[in-house]
Amino acid sequence: SHFHLCSLQKSLIDMYSEVLDILSDFDSNYNTQDHLHFLNSGGSAGLTLLKVLEQCSVNLLADHLAVVLAAEVGVTSYWVPFELCRSDLFHMCSGWMGSIVTLSEGPHHVAMFKDSSREFDLGKEEDLAALRHEIELRMRKSVKEGQTVSPETISLNVKGPGIQRMVLVDLPGVISTVTAGMASDTKETIFSISKNYMQNPNAIILCIQDGSVDAERSIVTDLVSQMDPQGKRTIFVLTKVDLAEKNLASPNRIQQIVEGKLFPMKALGYFAVVTGKGSAGESIDSIKDYEEDFFQNSRLLRDGMLKAHQVTTKNLSLAVSDCFWKMVRESVEQQADAFKASRFNLETEWKNNYPRLRELDRNELFEKAKNEILDEVISLSQVTPKHWEAILLKKLWERVSTHVIENIYLPAAQTMNSGTFNTTVDIKLKQWTDKQLPHKALEVAWETLQEEFARFMAEYKGKDQDDIFDKLKEAVKDESIKRHKWNERSMDSLRVIQHNALEDRSITDKPQWDAAIEFMEETLHARLKDTDCVINDMVGPDWKQRWLSWKNRSPEQHIRNETKNELERLLKLHEDHTAYLANDEVTTVRKNLEGRGVEVDPVLIKDTWHQLYRRHFLQKALQHCNLCRRGFYYYQRHFVDSELECNDVVLFWRIQRMLLITANTLRQQLTNTEVRRLEKNVKEVLEDFGEDTEKKAHLITGRRVQLAEDLSESHTLWLIFWSVLLENVSDVFW
């Protein structure tokens, strides 16, 4: 039925527009402006013709409709909804510059300039007046001084109920003569503007000629024949045939025109129409009735000079519609071939480069990465308490060991008696607990959580993980850690726990005593090893290294070595020497070295002594530690009547116990609170990233991703093409 055919064609228009939009996104070089224009040229006198066309047609649409005519004919619109015509919108835009009006569906009839946010209500007279005034202002500004025609265009968006999506281009009418008051280049400028639009191969050209004047005066046909020499997209329209029949002495001229024998141009069809009596205010119905009455009684039709299928606006509209559908079919076929070639190239590249991988686009890859990251975070909550406490204990001791040895143990151990030792230790432990220790412990816990989180991600990566996620995972990890705020309210309670642990001196059994001695020995051995390395760097290679590795001492190392030898002799004579050299001892050492021809600075002597005495002290401390292995019995008796005192062992037990209790406390905070909060942060970050298209495009990159994106878009476009065509269009096309 007529209604069913209209619905099918309207459905195809919507589909075709959607395909062009997707194609524009798919290929930035594809210009949809070349496919959606409806080009008109002229003034306003021919508006009536186009109103009748709209009323008569099945569906008058064209990919690109170029209405090209002489200036005196005038056509301002084609298939324009009657409400828009009635609003005089296109009368407003006509003049000595072009206008581009983009039509689209909308709840109300409104107009808006592309460079402005103001909306003009086309149903209100005051808004129409304001719109007309704005257009006039823009026209005046666009026409430069000394010019008649402006190459610029007024761009206007128009929306309204039931409006098909299209673009209408209205251009100045083509003239043959430059009259007084016009710029000398007016004719050439209009030709140039018209050619620019007419040369589009997707434009349907309506060549409209006024039948009431001599056809030879028109230069439009020459222009059309240049743009479409084969006439594959041109339809010739002869208007005002009623006046031509009345005024022309030779009716054969009309026959020659509609048979295409008078003008040097080709066309798909030739039509003769009548667009009313020319009086103002004629209705569409009266125009149609007048046209039908004229041709029923016309001697041109009665005598066979015109054929029935060549007359009336209704037949013209059907011809334009047929031409349009033919061009759409060819366009669809061309695009189908182009899509096939594009898809083949993309699929071939994928098969050659990623034969074992699925074609996942950016969003699909993000979802896959999201699941992997969530699995890794869940794994973090499955870490055993034993593992947490082991790494916390190790890292905490690494962080505080230097302070314990250098600022607590060594200063206290170099005092002369046990009372002073214990007093010094208690004071320094209290100061340490009040100011530094809790902060250091929380730093260690936070760093441990970060490192374990990173470790799980790295371990997961080893399990055939896709390295395309590396950038995303790193960003998620960093952002989650950035958002994570450690709960520091636990610091006060941790300080109390640590203080109480360090206050306790009660070693209850021999295994605890042995564990403290082992801890002390490990610590002292590590410090002694470090000290030996420092001394070796100071004095340079020994005789064995010099002999086997061909290494020599520097002058400074030679001086250091001589100083070391002299100070070692001093230590042998005074094994219980204090930590500091007296000034007279420094002088004695210096003179002894000068006697052997070695000039040495006092500062260098003291610096060398510090390292030698440190080594000497640590060696003695290790010997004492070994003696204390049997000291638990004396400890229980508080070292009464005993020459053996092991207060340093008690100190290391106190430190060790504090470390164990702190690690246990931090582990509980991690597993009960911080890990769960980190999991929540990760989920929130993933949700935020998932909604941020730019973020995903920045973090999931590479040729593989772009190729998958192109394949996905290609498949989508292909489905739109054929699902609509197969479902709706077969009756129209084939």
Side-chain angles (χ1 to χ4, degrees):
S1 67
H2 175 84
F3 175 78
H4 177 64
L5 188 58
C6 287
S7 299
L8 285 176
Q9 292 179 329
K10 184 176 185 298
S11 174
L12 182 56
I13 292 297
D14 295 336
M15 177 278 297
Y16 192 52
S17 297
E18 186 176 356
V19 168
L20 292 174
D21 285 341
I22 296 174
L23 183 58
S24 180
D25 293 336
F26 180 68
D27 183 356
S28 60
N29 294 321
Y30 193 89
N31 188 359
T32 57
Q33 295 299 318
D34 289 341
H35 295 262
L36 295 174
H37 285 167
F38 292 74
L39 176 61
N40 312 292
S41 175
S44 59
L47 182 59
T48 308
L49 165 65
L50 279 289
K51 290 182 181 179
V52 178
L53 281 173
E54 190 230 338
Q55 294 290 315
C56 295
S57 65
V58 174
N59 196 332
L60 282 181
L61 282 174
D63 223 12
H64 204 132
L65 182 66
V67 183
V68 185
L69 61 163
E72 66 271 12
V73 176
V75 173
T76 307
S77 174
Y78 177 74
W79 202 76
V80 182
F82 185 68
E83 286 294 327
L84 295 180
C85 294
R86 191 172 61 188
S87 71
D88 283 340
L89 175 64
F90 300 101
H91 286 289
M92 297 180 197
C93 296
S94 63
W96 292 110
M97 68 177 297
S99 60
I100 298 178
V101 182
T102 302
L103 304 180
S104 60
E105 178 81 21
H108 307 288
H109 285 111
V110 295
M112 183 185 347
F113 292 100
K114 285 196 174 183
D115 57 358
S116 172
S117 59
R118 179 183 175 183
E119 286 189 348
F120 297 88
D121 189 337
L122 298 181
K124 296 181 178 179
E125 288 298 329
E126 58 269 26
D127 277 24
L128 285 172
L131 177 60
R132 185 179 297 106
H133 179 68
E134 179 65 22
I135 290 173
E136 290 173 355
L137 286 177
R138 291 175 180 245
M139 283 186 173
R140 290 196 200 101
K141 291 179 180 179
S142 68
V143 180
K144 297 179 181 179
E145 186 176 353
Q147 298 293 316
T148 306
V149 178
S150 172
E152 299 176 11
T153 56
I154 295 176
S155 294
L156 203 62
N157 289 329
V158 176
K159 297 181 180 181
I163 298 180
Q164 289 285 349
R165 204 276 299 277
M166 67 183 79
V167 179
L168 302 172
V169 181
D170 186 30
L171 299 174
V174 177
I175 61 174
S176 58
T177 305
V178 176
T179 59
M182 292 185 181
S184 59
D185 62 348
T186 300
K187 177 180 176 181
E188 289 74 16
T189 302
I190 294 175
F191 261 75
S192 176
I193 295 172
S194 298
K195 285 182 178 179
N196 183 49
Y197 287 94
M198 290 174 62
Q199 64 188 4
N200 185 347
N202 291 313
I204 297 176
I205 303 173
L206 283 188
C207 180
I208 299 178
Q209 175 66 47
D210 189 341
S212 65
V213 299
D214 292 338
E216 289 82 352
R217 284 168 37 190
S218 174
I219 59 172
V220 171
T221 54
D222 292 334
L223 177 60
V224 171
S225 65
Q226 292 176 26
M227 297 296 101
D228 183 26
Q230 301 301 318
K232 292 183 178 180
R233 52 190 179 89
T234 299
I235 295 176
F236 181 87
V237 182
L238 186 67
T239 64
K240 302 181 182 180
V241 179
D242 53 340
L243 298 179
E245 183 183 64
K246 181 188 301 184
N247 299 332
L248 291 181
S250 175
N252 290 332
R253 291 184 60 78
I254 296 178
Q255 183 178 8
Q256 285 182 299
I257 293 174
V258 297
E259 288 179 354
K261 296 178 180 178
L262 187 62
F263 302 117
M265 60 165 283
K266 298 180 180 179
L268 290 172
Y270 298 83
F271 293 86
V273 299
V274 174
T275 56
K277 301 177 182 178
S279 59
E282 283 184 291
S283 68
I284 297 296
D285 290 335
S286 65
I287 294 172
K288 290 165 60 179
D289 292 342
Y290 175 75
E291 184 183 47
E292 290 178 6
D293 291 342
F294 169 77
F295 282 115
Q296 285 178 0
N297 301 307
S298 172
R299 59 188 178 89
L300 295 173
L301 193 63
R302 189 173 56 250
D303 295 344
M305 295 181 184
L306 294 178
K307 296 180 175 59
H309 69 273
Q310 289 182 302
V311 299
T312 74
T313 309
K314 181 177 181 179
N315 286 333
L316 169 61
S317 68
L318 291 173
V320 174
S321 183
D322 289 341
C323 182
F324 165 66
W325 294 120
K326 179 182 177 183
M327 293 179 70
V328 170
R329 181 180 63 188
E330 292 174 352
S331 176
V332 170
E333 290 172 350
Q334 291 171 4
Q335 293 307 319
D337 292 340
F339 291 152
K340 286 180 182 178
S342 176
R343 285 184 61 205
F344 176 79
N345 293 339
L346 294 172
E347 289 171 351
T348 301
E349 183 179 351
W350 185 274
K351 290 176 182 177
N352 289 334
N353 291 283
Y354 315 105
R356 298 183 180 181
L357 297 177
R358 288 178 57 203
E359 299 171 7
L360 300 179
D361 62 22
R362 185 173 281 109
N363 289 330
E364 292 170 325
L365 286 170
F366 179 82
E367 289 301 316
K368 182 180 178 182
K370 177 180 176 180
N371 293 332
E372 288 186 8
I373 293 171
L374 291 176
D375 288 343
E376 292 159 11
V377 177
I378 291 173
S379 299
L380 192 62
S381 64
Q382 297 173 350
V383 176
T384 63
K386 183 178 180 180
H387 178 77
W388 278 122
E389 290 187 18
I391 56 178
L392 285 167
L393 184 65
K394 181 176 181 293
K395 285 182 66 66
L396 184 59
W397 178 237
E398 289 175 353
R399 183 64 56 86
V400 304
S401 60
T402 298
H403 182 86
V404 169
I405 299 301
E406 303 297 333
N407 297 83
I408 299 175
Y409 170 64
L410 289 179
Q414 291 169 9
T415 58
M416 300 305 295
N417 57 68
S418 61
T420 307
F421 176 89
N422 290 331
T423 301
T424 303
V425 165
D426 290 344
I427 293 173
K428 289 185 176 293
L429 286 177
K430 179 68 166 59
Q431 293 173 343
W432 184 44
T433 307
D434 289 342
K435 296 180 180 180
Q436 298 181 24
L437 183 57
H439 293 281
K440 295 290 184 184
L442 291 183
E443 286 177 6
V444 166
W446 178 218
E447 291 173 7
T448 301
L449 179 59
Q450 295 180 55
E451 290 174 5
E452 285 299 290
F453 184 29
R455 181 176 68 84
F456 272 99
M457 284 195 166
E459 287 182 354
Y460 204 98
K461 181 178 178 180
K463 301 175 183 178
D464 299 325
Q465 190 220 6
D466 202 332
D467 58 5
I468 205 168
F469 300 147
D470 289 354
K471 196 173 180 181
L472 171 63
K473 289 190 173 184
E474 189 68 22
V476 171
K477 183 193 74 173
D478 293 344
E479 182 63 23
S480 300
I481 290 172
K482 180 181 177 182
R483 295 186 185 185
H484 189 92
K485 303 298 181 184
W486 189 272
N487 183 10
E488 295 188 357
R489 289 179 296 177
S490 60
M491 186 179 296
D492 292 337
S493 60
L494 180 62
R495 180 181 289 108
V496 173
I497 291 171
Q498 291 172 330
H499 180 73
N500 291 337
L502 290 171
E503 281 286 308
D504 188 4
R505 297 183 179 85
S506 302
I507 305 176
T508 57
D509 53 32
K510 184 69 163 56
Q512 290 185 9
W513 181 268
D514 292 340
I517 288 177
E518 183 179 352
F519 177 51
M520 180 178 174
E521 283 186 331
E522 289 177 358
T523 302
L524 295 179
H525 274 301
R527 295 292 160 175
L528 180 59
K529 183 179 179 181
D530 293 341
T531 304
D532 284 335
C533 290
V534 173
I535 293 173
N536 289 337
D537 289 340
M538 289 171 61
V539 302
D542 58 16
W543 68 269
K544 186 177 181 180
Q545 290 175 314
R546 295 198 302 273
W547 178 261
L548 296 177
S549 304
W550 292 83
K551 294 181 178 179
N552 292 316
R553 290 189 176 118
S554 67
E556 183 181 350
Q557 288 175 334
H558 174 72
I559 295 172
R560 289 273 191 184
N561 185 62
E562 292 295 327
T563 305
K564 177 184 78 81
N565 294 336
E566 186 65 27
L567 292 173
E568 283 178 340
R569 282 191 285 270
L570 177 63
L571 273 174
K572 284 183 180 181
L573 293 173
H574 307 282
E575 290 191 357
D576 295 329
H577 200 291
T578 61
Y580 302 99
L581 279 176
N583 288 334
D584 57 340
E585 290 176 318
V586 173
T587 302
T588 301
V589 171
R590 183 179 180 186
K591 287 182 178 180
N592 291 340
L593 290 172
E594 287 176 350
R596 295 200 297 272
V598 179
E599 294 289 337
V600 62
D601 186 80
V603 176
L604 186 144
I605 294 173
K606 292 179 180 180
D607 186 42
T608 307
W609 167 260
H610 174 73
Q611 297 299 330
L612 289 175
Y613 180 81
R614 181 186 179 87
R615 182 172 68 179
H616 172 72
F617 176 84
L618 291 172
Q619 289 170 343
K620 288 182 63 177
L622 281 168
Q623 293 172 5
H624 177 71
C625 185
N626 190 46
L627 292 175
C628 285
R629 288 185 180 279
R630 56 185 177 85
F632 183 66
Y633 169 75
Y634 301 105
Y635 163 76
Q636 289 179 315
R637 298 181 59 191
H638 305 289
F639 302 109
V640 176
D641 299 328
S642 171
E643 295 181 358
L644 182 64
E645 292 185 356
C646 298
N647 292 306
D648 47 0
V649 177
V650 178
L651 169 62
F652 276 90
W653 180 82
R654 293 165 70 184
I655 296 295
Q656 186 181 43
R657 186 167 180 273
M658 181 276 298
L659 292 172
L660 290 169
I661 292 174
T662 300
N664 178 268
T665 304
L666 294 174
R667 186 269 304 167
Q668 292 183 51
Q669 185 177 355
L670 280 171
T671 55
N672 295 338
T673 306
E674 303 302 335
V675 169
R676 294 177 183 176
R677 290 178 61 230
L678 181 60
E679 289 179 13
K680 183 180 178 182
N681 288 340
V682 171
K683 292 177 181 177
E684 290 176 354
V685 169
L686 286 170
E687 290 298 324
D688 292 344
F689 283 10
E691 296 174 359
D692 192 334
T693 303
E694 291 184 5
K695 179 76 73 174
K696 286 189 289 187
H698 174 68
L699 296 175
I700 304 178
T701 59
R703 177 55 189 162
R704 173 183 150 198
V705 181
Q706 189 57 51
L707 189 58
E709 288 279 295
D710 292 345
L711 280 166
S712 177
E713 291 185 25
S714 176
H715 294 326
T716 301
L717 194 53
W718 188 257
L719 288 174
I720 290 175
F721 255 133
W722 293 110
S723 64
V724 178
L725 287 177
L726 293 175
E727 195 172 316
N728 296 322
V729 188
S730 58
D731 293 338
V732 179
F733 277 174
W734 297 283

